[in-house]
Amino acid sequence: MVERCDIVLKPNLMEAKNRTKQEVLVKTNEYIIKEDLKKLGLGKKYYVKTYGCQMNEHDTENIKAILEDMSFKETENYEDADFILLNTCAIRENVHNKVFGMIGRIKHLKEKKPHIIAGICGCMAQEEVVVNKILEKYKWLDIVFGTHNIHNLPNILSRSLEKKELEIEVLSIEGNVIENLPAKRDSKYKAWINIMYGCDKFCTYCIVPYTRGKQRSRKPEFIIEEIQQLISENYKEVTLLGQNVNAYGKDLDIDYTMANLLEEVAKTGIERVRFVTSHPWDFSDEMIEVIKNNKNIMPYIHLPLQSGSDRILKLMGRRYTKQTYLELYKKIKTALPYSSITTDIIVGFPGETEEDFNETLDVVKECKYDSAFTFIFSPRVGTPAANMDDNVSLEKKNNRLHKLNELVNSYAKEANDKYLGKIVPVLIEGISEKDKNKLVGYTDTMKLVNVIGDVSNVGKIVDVEITEAKTWSLDGKIK
Ligand code: 5AD
Ligand code: SF4
């Protein structure tokens, strides 16, 4: 058999774990597309499927723009595409399974249409176990590239086409900041803005610090410039993105914090500012003050709890206790009583007892979250928690998840019921996919609303009267 593979760089977990004092380079010229590659995709269509978090969604926006710089055109149907790319997520095993399921479907398609080029990128590409599996069983794939290699996509693609072999280019580095990537944004009204990359928290269950490198904040001037540009294009909302946005600025050589950034972003005058995700450890009083004093910073905070048991929080390496979390929660709710607060919770962490789980339920009962993302612990190869004794049976994990979801849903409905009859501001994003007669949008507090109203309101922030409250969404009509 022909050796169909060119490994330029393979991921390395030990290297990905490294954290040194090495300077982060801000590269404003890293994405360069050679003249002859600008026509590579002429007459060809691409399809990119995104798994995982908002960070990945925004990476996909960059990838799409790069492909269009190469003259590819987008298709929504993978069966029509000449180039299929899966931008993957490594956070839990279930996404792995979905990705490999999709790879299976692509294989069938490629058997019928051998000219198709297929590849994977994103966080799974950063995992040694995944790349080894691809080398063992999926060598028919054409490209694999990592989260630090996006700017080099034109070269990776052209090398694979030229040599007709699998190109693997996955850097396992602490990472730099690349400032000149183009973006093809999904929405004309709201935009994702990376404010930082990577994470240094190393929560024991989490793969992100390995797949995304060390914490690197973008310089404030680049962020503000990007937002000003978006305002000039009539954007209404920006969401500042990072794995742990409250730690923004700590790695910069200037004295500048997330509170400073939020204030400066608010001053640009953009109508809505959001930010995700917050780690309770870094949530400062100054931030709460800034949110309170600036009407265009939305009263919505995602505050991951993960567990309500101090013993489990310690094993998770979360750096707070049930008590300090609750104190922070109350501080936020007192300063911002109208705000909605959501959370993330993991059940079935190694060693979690019924008592530990009940402590989580206690916190949920106290906080009465607007909603929560709940997960069963998923061991990630290379993380400390994957080596802990996972002694909770799957049946128990499922029962706990079910019990937690019932509680979470009852509070979600309760929180939504409070909106009945109220008039709230909603950014109308478009026409509902489920019901073409309705519009959809989000309130300032991030509640999804199905709205009766004229299509001319798309892209506007309008007053909506809430007529019905459900667990996951609200119904309303434009006033
Ligand atoms: N298993 C289950 N859930 C996880 N998360 C992160 N890593 C894991 C894991 N190994 C959850 C956390 C995090 C959210 C994005 O995903 O709750 O906040
Ligand atoms: Fe993962 Fe913890 Fe970093 Fe969040 S803060 S990305 S959970 S390591």
Side-chain angles (χ1 to χ4, degrees):
M1 198 186 118
V2 189
E3 198 43 51
R4 196 191 165 275
C5 180
D6 179 27
I7 304 173
V8 176
L9 284 160
K10 242 182 99 181
N12 179 316
L13 215 88
M14 291 309 284
E15 282 173 21
K17 218 191 292 192
N18 262 345
R19 291 296 183 268
T20 64
K21 292 258 177 267
Q22 204 179 328
E23 192 192 350
V24 171
L25 301 175
V26 178
K27 301 191 170 184
T28 51
N29 272 320
E30 195 69 355
Y31 169 62
I32 302 168
I33 174 157
K34 284 190 238 139
E35 250 346 277
D36 58 322
L37 298 188
K38 286 187 184 163
K39 298 261 154 55
L40 195 85
L42 214 58
K44 295 191 181 126
K45 289 187 226 153
Y46 73 87
Y47 170 87
V48 185
K49 185 164 178 67
T50 315
Y51 301 82
C53 67
Q54 295 99 332
M55 194 78 67
N56 255 19
E57 284 189 30
H58 188 41
D59 284 351
T60 292
E61 293 182 335
N62 295 136
I63 288 167
K64 287 181 177 179
I66 295 175
L67 291 170
E68 298 200 1
D69 280 356
M70 299 172 80
S71 306
F72 282 96
K73 291 260 182 302
E74 183 168 9
T75 169
E76 309 258 307
N77 177 3
Y78 79 97
E79 292 179 335
D80 280 345
D82 304 284
F83 175 45
I84 304 173
L85 184 65
L86 308 182
N87 187 7
T88 62
C89 166
I91 232 160
R92 281 174 296 274
E93 192 61 30
N94 57 353
V95 180
H96 270 230
N97 300 339
K98 279 189 205 158
V99 168
F100 279 103
M102 184 68 189
I103 290 178
R105 287 200 287 284
I106 298 171
K107 184 164 191 242
H108 284 303
L109 194 63
K110 219 169 136 91
E111 277 160 7
K112 281 188 265 164
K113 299 187 193 173
H115 79 279
I116 289 174
I117 301 289
I120 76 157
C121 63
C123 287
M124 272 172 67
Q126 294 291 141
E127 292 182 281
E128 265 178 78
V129 277
V130 170
V131 172
N132 288 340
K133 185 166 167 178
I134 288 172
L135 284 170
E136 214 176 284
K137 293 195 186 148
Y138 303 90
K139 260 196 177 161
W140 54 267
L141 278 168
D142 300 285
I143 64 171
V144 175
F145 63 96
T147 57
H148 303 286
N149 305 77
I150 293 174
H151 61 279
N152 209 24
L153 172 57
N155 297 321
I156 301 170
L157 199 50
S158 90
R159 280 202 311 263
S160 171
L161 282 167
E162 206 175 285
K163 298 185 195 159
K164 302 210 171 357
E165 59 185 17
L166 169 61
E167 279 288 316
I168 299 181
E169 187 177 306
V170 183
L171 271 167
S172 291
I173 51 167
E174 294 178 71
N176 298 311
V177 173
I178 295 176
E179 280 298 346
N180 71 328
L181 286 184
K184 182 192 178 199
R185 296 190 187 271
D186 263 355
S187 162
K188 291 203 284 272
Y189 318 112
K190 58 176 199 177
W192 309 114
I193 311 266
N194 282 322
I195 62 165
M196 62 201 299
Y197 303 95
C199 181
D200 289 342
K201 284 282 186 286
F202 285 99
C203 300
T204 58
Y205 51 81
C206 185
I207 193 82
V208 169
Y210 308 80
T211 61
R212 294 248 167 207
K214 81 168 166 189
Q215 177 180 317
R216 291 107 65 206
S217 300
R218 281 178 80 195
K219 293 197 161 126
E221 55 269 32
F222 286 110
I223 298 169
I224 299 298
E225 200 183 296
E226 190 174 345
I227 294 173
Q228 270 154 354
Q229 175 63 33
L230 290 165
I231 294 173
S232 76
E233 292 168 23
N234 214 14
Y235 274 80
K236 299 284 189 294
E237 177 176 310
V238 290
T239 301
L240 311 180
L241 286 183
Q243 300 298 343
N244 172 21
V245 287
N246 307 357
Y248 174 81
K250 289 189 174 181
D251 54 299
L252 291 173
D253 52 12
I254 49 172
D255 189 12
Y256 196 90
T257 63
M258 182 59 179
N260 299 132
L261 180 70
L262 274 177
E263 191 150 43
E264 217 178 316
V265 171
K267 274 199 211 126
T268 63
I270 184 118
E271 289 186 57
R272 288 182 158 193
V273 181
R274 301 188 188 278
F275 57 95
V276 280
T277 282
S278 294
H279 187 300
W281 169 259
D282 296 303
F283 212 114
S284 69
D285 291 354
E286 291 75 25
M287 270 181 69
I288 299 176
E289 249 339 84
V290 172
I291 300 167
K292 191 175 161 182
N293 294 336
N294 289 278
K295 291 284 157 278
N296 57 345
I297 303 180
M298 294 299 99
Y300 163 69
I301 288 153
H302 185 62
L303 196 67
L305 167 69
Q306 312 300 4
S307 168
S309 149
D310 287 349
R311 203 178 65 80
I312 297 295
L313 284 170
K314 198 158 186 203
L315 285 172
M316 288 177 162
R318 287 293 287 179
R319 309 168 192 218
Y320 53 82
T321 61
K322 174 184 182 181
Q323 194 195 332
T324 55
Y325 180 94
L326 285 172
E327 278 166 14
L328 174 64
Y329 181 93
K330 281 175 198 147
K331 210 189 301 178
I332 296 172
K333 268 287 177 191
T334 309
L336 311 162
Y338 172 66
S339 62
S340 66
I341 302 186
T342 57
T343 199
D344 290 342
I345 297 170
I346 298 175
V347 299
F349 189 80
E352 184 187 68
T353 62
E354 217 50 40
E355 265 168 35
D356 293 318
F357 175 63
N358 284 333
E359 295 221 49
T360 300
L361 295 181
D362 286 346
V363 178
V364 173
K365 285 176 196 157
E366 275 207 47
C367 296
K368 302 184 168 58
Y369 296 104
D370 283 81
S371 81
F373 300 95
T374 55
F375 313 103
I376 287 179
F377 167 72
S378 173
R380 311 314 302 137
V381 174
T383 61
N387 296 330
M388 293 179 191
D389 189 12
D390 187 1
N391 54 356
V392 188
S393 70
L394 185 61
E395 194 192 350
K396 269 199 186 131
K397 287 176 186 172
N398 279 323
N399 285 341
R400 286 179 193 167
L401 185 69
H402 184 72
K403 201 166 168 189
L404 175 64
N405 283 344
E406 291 217 316
L407 190 65
V408 160
N409 294 349
S410 72
Y411 289 124
K413 175 74 166 69
E414 219 173 82
N416 281 352
D417 281 344
K418 292 191 185 131
Y419 284 71
L420 266 179
K422 299 239 164 73
I423 293 169
V424 287
V426 175
L427 170 54
I428 305 290
E429 294 183 7
I431 296 167
S432 162
E433 276 180 20
K434 286 193 196 136
D435 179 351
K436 298 281 175 233
N437 295 316
K438 285 195 175 161
L439 308 171
V440 280
Y442 285 88
T443 65
D444 48 354
T445 51
M446 201 65 179
K447 304 272 178 194
L448 174 65
V449 198
N450 292 299
V451 182
I452 296 174
D454 194 83
V455 110
S456 60
N457 289 294
V458 172
K460 294 184 189 154
I461 297 171
V462 293
D463 282 340
V464 170
E465 183 183 342
I466 302 303
T467 51
E468 195 173 340
K470 299 172 181 160
T471 305
W472 307 113
S473 64
L474 302 168
D475 285 348
K477 55 177 189 244
I478 294 181
K479 278 307 284 175

